[in-house]
Amino acid sequence: MKDHLQEGSQPAPSSPHVSVIQEIQRRQRIVFWCLIVCIVAMGVLLAAERHRERKRIEALADQMPIDAPTAVEETVTLELASDADGTLRPETRQIALPQATNARVKALLDHLLAYYALPDSAHALPPGPAVAEVFLLPLPVVGYVASPLPPGAHSGTDSGADPASVRTTAPVSSSDPNALQPRQPGGELAVIDLLSSWVNQHPSGVEVESLTLRSILGTLHANLPQIEQVRFLVDGQTRETLAGHADLLRTYPTAHDNAMQTGGNDPGPAKE
Amino acid sequence: MNALRNSILAALLTACLLTLAAPDAHAQMGAASRGPATQANGASAAWTPQPSVSISSVNASAPAPILINRRVVVLDPAHGGSDSGAQISDTTVEKDVTLALAFRLRAMLTARGFTVVMTRDSDAMASPTPGAGELTLDDRAGVANHAHAAACLLLHASGSGVGVHLYRSELDAAPGESAVPPWLTAQAAWIPQSSLLEGELANALTRSGIPLVTGRASVRPMDSLTCPALVVELAPADEDVDSMNRTDYQQQVARAIAGALLVWADQVQAPLRLSSAAPAMNHPGAGSSGAGVQP
Ligand SMILES: [Zn+2]
């Protein structure tokens, strides 16, 4: 064995024994390189497949693109809050908005809230995504809620189904007679689902929280007047307050006249 | 030598086979990236009415004149326990300021003959429901509503601005109180009274030389209160935010408020009780957090 190695490593004189070994080595080398080529080719094929598949899945997952390919820049009005004097002032911007209304609402709010995260913001809010999703419901909202069967109705347990699934629907009435009714035909309720990652970092205070909501409501009203009422969710669930103060259980009207301190029916003393 | 080569070849073949088997990863990756979409659907499905804890604070019995205890005042020192409220400075958190102000106000009101109901008199109050942890905002509203008080003051504190900020509800005034007021908008019937109370407090604070800002805000749980209700937010006395902790400043504010409440106790009027002909709300707790209204 030692001798073979010695001979193999040096160009040996043409002994038939050695040439057979070389022949074997040559064949093995061919097979080896063929396999390498195969591996590389399959690797490339796999990478291409993976890439295509990933694209397909991304397209599936993202059915509401923030910026539709057809989005064009348009003029929008942002109602920007200022902590210094507790007011909102309108400011126009050119931004690209998608076509679908709920995607428009989300894009508008993303733009508005990203503005507040800038370093010199007059109403400093945490950076990062704030709005998970926006749902729009035509007003008046009519709904039914699942409710357990009344006790009398239990007598006929004909179906034999498990009791938890035996439910009827009961109409849900609004707690506010004015809520959930349109002011104009075609009025809509926007349900804005906020992200807890953003809400949990929102500064706490009556005014700072109220300004955030007023800025959102005012901006929606200025650009999408058909949105008449807004409700908020956090991670898809109801939450009592934004950061300890502002009521998130309420249905908010977007129009100023019955929402915010525009005087009118306010007999209280004015700001000092 | 041959053994070495063979083992290399075997390793390469294994690699080949693994590569061929790898497309299984597609399926796994697909499942993983489909996750968020499903979650998003879950989020929309999760928007169902959540029966919130509804303290039966509103008297659900037959129409009777609305009762007011003229000498009872509810003080709600906001926040407490795990909820610190606003971080006012490095050393001051809102929940401590609100409790300190409440104690001063309680002393002054008691001295003026009032019975004072506090929603908390320590850092955190336990919920009446066993095992439910701290008192929730709804629990506090329940405590306040049971008192049938002449005034319910929600005490807050803020490091911005100076003086005192008064806020009342943003709800539209309702003509009267229905037999079973809807939980989330029960304050609507009391808006005119809350507004008059605000005027009374504003006059007294201004007379005492305390800078004042009034406004409207939706602050939980004010809209569920069935009494004249206001948010009283204490801001610093001057540019130094820690000045809101000064005893003399808090005493000055408390004295002005207590004086105003003394006048107010003789003026307060209960809203009209609406006849029970109004459509009964079938679930006041879930009310407007629900999905709709009966056509
Ligand atoms: Zn507070």
Side-chain angles (χ1 to χ4, degrees):
Chain A
M1 189 65 182
K2 222 170 190 175
D3 291 348
H4 278 307
L5 280 175
Q6 286 293 336
E7 285 168 16
S9 58
Q10 292 163 9
S14 57
S15 107
H17 189 69
V18 168
S19 84
V20 165
I21 287 170
Q22 277 178 342
E23 179 62 17
I24 289 169
Q25 281 176 340
R26 206 173 68 87
R27 284 187 183 173
Q28 279 186 341
R29 237 176 276 137
I30 289 168
V31 169
F32 173 79
W33 284 114
C34 279
L35 281 170
I36 289 288
V37 167
C38 273
I39 289 165
V40 169
M42 272 191 268
V44 168
L45 190 71
L46 178 74
E49 276 281 294
R50 249 181 126 79
H51 186 69
R52 216 179 55 187
E53 184 73 1
R54 188 193 296 269
K55 276 201 155 165
R56 190 180 69 81
I57 284 161
E58 273 172 3
L60 274 180
D62 192 11
Q63 288 185 332
M64 271 200 302
I66 287 176
D67 289 306
T70 53
V72 283
E73 294 232 318
E74 47 192 295
T75 307
V76 298
T77 306
L78 302 182
E79 290 283 340
L80 294 177
S82 160
D83 288 337
D85 52 5
T87 57
L88 299 177
R89 67 189 155 76
E91 213 173 278
T92 54
R93 295 293 173 84
Q94 291 283 324
I95 60 171
L97 288 179
Q99 293 300 308
T101 316
N102 50 356
R104 286 172 82 82
V105 174
K106 185 176 183 311
L108 201 57
L109 295 182
D110 285 343
H111 194 85
L112 174 73
L113 298 173
Y115 176 85
Y116 288 130
L118 295 177
D120 55 349
S121 164
H123 176 66
L125 294 186
V131 179
E133 231 172 323
V134 174
F135 310 93
L136 291 173
L137 301 167
L139 290 168
V141 177
V142 179
Y144 290 85
V145 65
S147 70
L149 274 179
H154 267 295
S155 53
T157 49
D158 42 29
S159 66
D162 106 79
S165 70
V166 183
R167 284 165 171 258
T168 60
T169 52
V172 179
S173 54
S174 163
S175 60
D176 178 354
N178 298 318
L180 307 170
Q181 293 291 330
R183 303 158 125 248
Q184 303 282 329
E188 289 182 302
L189 167 76
V191 179
I192 299 173
D193 187 13
L194 300 170
L195 290 164
S196 60
S197 53
W198 182 82
V199 170
N200 293 342
Q201 291 187 62
H202 193 286
S204 176
V206 175
E207 182 156 277
V208 70
E209 292 174 43
S210 172
L211 275 177
T212 297
L213 297 190
R214 285 169 54 196
S215 171
I216 290 174
L217 299 172
T219 300
L220 291 184
H221 183 65
N223 300 286
L224 299 154
Q226 75 270 29
I227 296 175
E228 297 181 354
Q229 297 182 19
V230 174
R231 286 187 51 81
F232 293 94
L233 299 175
V234 179
D235 288 349
Q237 305 283 320
T238 52
R239 189 185 279 206
E240 280 198 299
T241 64
L242 182 56
H245 299 90
D247 192 338
L248 287 193
L249 298 179
R250 231 198 115 184
T251 304
Y252 283 91
T254 53
H256 271 252
D257 56 88
N258 62 354
M260 305 311 166
Q261 47 204 44
T262 43
N265 55 355
D266 189 348
K271 282 198 173 197
E272 209 169 282
Chain B
M1 189 63 194
N2 271 342
L4 183 70
R5 284 215 185 96
N6 284 341
S7 68
I8 291 173
L9 280 176
L12 286 170
L13 270 170
T14 319
C16 257
L17 286 173
L18 281 176
T19 319
L20 279 171
D24 280 355
H26 287 198
Q28 284 168 7
M29 188 176 76
S33 8
R34 258 172 234 126
T38 329
Q39 260 183 356
N41 291 343
S44 68
W47 185 58
T48 48
Q50 304 252 322
S52 52
V53 186
S54 162
I55 305 296
S56 55
S57 51
V58 287
N59 34 356
S61 51
I66 294 171
L67 175 78
I68 289 189
N69 296 316
R70 292 184 182 276
R71 308 303 281 182
V72 173
V73 169
V74 171
L75 298 179
D76 172 39
H79 314 293
S82 56
D83 170 16
S84 302
Q87 184 74 40
I88 288 164
S89 72
D90 291 343
T91 51
T92 308
V93 287
E94 185 181 1
K95 65 172 182 177
D96 297 336
V97 180
T98 61
L99 191 59
L101 179 64
F103 282 138
R104 293 188 202 290
L105 251 175
R106 179 169 71 176
M108 289 196 182
L109 288 168
T110 311
R112 284 163 176 77
F114 282 98
T115 302
V116 176
V117 174
M118 303 251 288
T119 56
R120 70 173 171 116
D121 55 11
S122 61
D123 182 42
M125 297 287 275
S127 168
T129 322
E134 293 174 11
L135 213 60
T136 65
L137 296 180
D138 279 341
D139 291 336
R140 293 186 190 217
V143 169
N145 289 349
H146 273 294
H148 300 283
C152 297
L153 302 183
L154 310 182
L155 306 178
H156 285 263
S158 161
S160 63
V162 289
V164 170
H165 307 158
L166 297 179
Y167 299 95
R168 67 186 162 87
S169 167
E170 286 179 338
L171 294 174
D172 288 333
E177 188 166 85
S178 51
V180 183
W183 180 249
L184 290 175
T185 54
Q187 173 66 197
W190 294 81
I191 295 284
Q193 289 295 309
S194 300
S195 195
L196 292 170
L197 173 62
E198 181 187 56
E200 205 62 58
L201 288 187
N203 284 339
L205 289 163
T206 308
R207 272 201 305 273
S208 306
I210 297 162
L212 177 75
V213 174
T214 63
R216 300 178 70 174
S218 293
V219 179
R220 234 16 245 154
M222 181 157 63
D223 287 354
S224 294
L225 296 180
T226 54
C227 45
L230 291 177
V231 167
V232 177
E233 187 183 58
L234 186 72
D238 48 47
E239 294 79 39
D240 173 21
V241 287
D242 283 321
S243 63
M244 73 168 68
N245 291 317
R246 268 178 13 216
T247 307
D248 62 327
Y249 174 57
Q250 289 193 1
Q251 290 283 107
Q252 185 192 11
V253 171
R255 198 177 302 116
I257 292 172
L261 289 175
L262 203 54
V263 179
W264 171 251
D266 296 328
Q267 297 176 10
V268 59
Q269 300 278 334
L272 289 177
R273 175 80 81 190
L274 295 181
S275 73
S276 53
M281 305 298 176
N282 70 349
H283 205 317
S288 74
S289 68
V293 59
Q294 196 173 2

